[in-house]
Amino acid sequence: MKRLISIAISVAILLIIYSKIDFQGLIQVFRDCDRVWMTVSLGMVIPITMVTSWRLQQLMPQETSLGFIEANRLILGASVLNMVLPSKMGDIVKAYFMRDRGHLSGSLSLSLVVFEKACDMLSLLLWCVFGLFVYPEKDGLFWTMTLAVTVGLIFGLLLLGSRQFAQIFFVSAIKIAPKKLRQKLQNLQISWQEMHDYFWGDKKQLLIVSATSIFTWFLHLLQIWLFILALKAWTPFIINIALSPLAILAGLLPLTFAGVGTRDAALIFFYQSYFDAQTGAALGLLCTSRYFLPAIIGLPFLGQMMGAARKLKQ
């Protein structure tokens, strides 16, 4: 039911957007696009997936073995499930699948996925803070967003870096959370503690994974900039580093299906000084393709993970 509501909200937002722009102009933007840059930008899905898969290999304990091809299958399979399951549950299913294949224990596999997602969010916030601080035309809204993103980054770093801070946070959150969420928070607390023990015990591994996460998100932001070039528009790359993470964060709000609608509206709003609404809407469609293309490529691997998804549902 929640999924249907999120899809309905996405459709409603898109209808509002397309009712306010020249739809024929949107089609013309794609007709006039640079096909070489379009191919290159869409093809960025491949190196991004490969780097993400290599990072998953680096997350694994040294005594376990996860092949590069299988890591790619896990990443792509999780992309499919993330499109149909709520709250990025595809990544949780990925953890259970790794456990079932005998790579590592269930609690540790969940810890690895939690750390993986935490690194992704902190890397995105890091690039966003960097871009916003160098953004030349900051008004009150942008200073507010800069402050909010910076606070979010500091909070995340404290959660990841301080066991004491994390303990205080989870204890407080469990006390005030509704009953339905308490068990999930307690499970997450256990996984978070195990994650602290595992990763802070090997500083070299922690550095490699963190650096790879930052580089991966650089590739994501580069892909969005290449989309802009493909649409024959222009935004300085440093401006793109500030604006595109804000649009991605808007898409992460738990309101719409895969961020469709909120992300599109944010792209049109934030980039309005650099190109028209038709180009912004086209950029929104291309940014949505960043999630659908890996899901389509991962369809052949979906069956391998469905067993783990059924066990998780039970």
Side-chain angles (χ1 to χ4, degrees), residues 158-191:
L158 286 172
L159 269 181
L160 202 63
S162 170
R163 174 187 287 273
Q164 185 178 6
F165 182 85
Q167 184 71 12
I168 294 172
F169 168 76
F170 280 111
V171 170
S172 302
I174 291 171
K175 286 182 179 179
I176 64 175
K179 290 183 178 180
K180 292 183 179 180
L181 290 178
R182 286 178 187 172
Q183 186 59 50
K184 292 182 179 179
L185 283 172
Q186 288 171 352
N187 293 337
L188 181 58
Q189 181 184 20
I190 295 171
S191 298

Side-chain angles (χ1 to χ4, degrees), residues 146-165:
T146 301
L147 177 62
V149 174
T150 303
V151 170
L153 177 61
I154 295 172
F155 179 79
L157 290 173
L158 286 172
L159 269 181
L160 202 63
S162 170
R163 174 187 287 273
Q164 185 178 6
F165 182 85

Side-chain angles (χ1 to χ4, degrees), residues 8 10 36 42 44 59 102 114 118 130 170 180 184 237 252 268 271 288 307:
S10 290
V36 174
L42 291 172
M44 284 289 291
L59 284 167
V114 168
F130 171 74
F170 280 111
K180 292 183 179 180
K184 292 182 179 179
F237 184 64
L252 293 177
I268 293 173
Y271 284 92
T288 299

Side-chain angles (χ1 to χ4, degrees), residues 103-229:
H103 293 301
L104 60 170
S105 68
S107 60
L108 182 56
S109 64
L110 184 59
S111 299
L112 296 188
V113 170
V114 168
F115 183 75
E116 181 185 34
K117 296 299 104 181
C119 280
D120 278 335
M121 177 56 71
L122 290 177
S123 297
L124 175 61
L125 292 176
L126 179 65
W127 282 114
C128 189
V129 168
F130 171 74
L132 286 172
F133 270 109
V134 299
Y135 188 76
E137 301 175 8
K138 285 192 282 289
D139 54 14
L141 174 62
F142 269 86
W143 276 117
T144 301
M145 290 188 294
T146 301
L147 177 62
V149 174
T150 303
V151 170
L153 177 61
I154 295 172
F155 179 79
L157 290 173
L158 286 172
L159 269 181
L160 202 63
S162 170
R163 174 187 287 273
Q164 185 178 6
F165 182 85
Q167 184 71 12
I168 294 172
F169 168 76
F170 280 111
V171 170
S172 302
I174 291 171
K175 286 182 179 179
I176 64 175
K179 290 183 178 180
K180 292 183 179 180
L181 290 178
R182 286 178 187 172
Q183 186 59 50
K184 292 182 179 179
L185 283 172
Q186 288 171 352
N187 293 337
L188 181 58
Q189 181 184 20
I190 295 171
S191 298
W192 202 271
Q193 291 172 348
E194 186 168 359
M195 177 197 69
H196 268 272
D197 294 336
Y198 176 68
F199 285 102
W200 285 103
D202 189 341
K203 300 297 194 300
K204 180 180 179 182
Q205 182 188 31
L206 180 65
L207 179 61
I208 291 174
V209 172
S210 300
T212 306
S213 299
I214 295 172
F215 176 67
T216 301
W217 271 100
F218 172 80
L219 294 179
H220 282 293
L221 302 182
L222 175 62
Q223 182 185 34
I224 295 174
W225 187 65
L226 293 177
F227 284 152
I228 295 173
L229 297 185

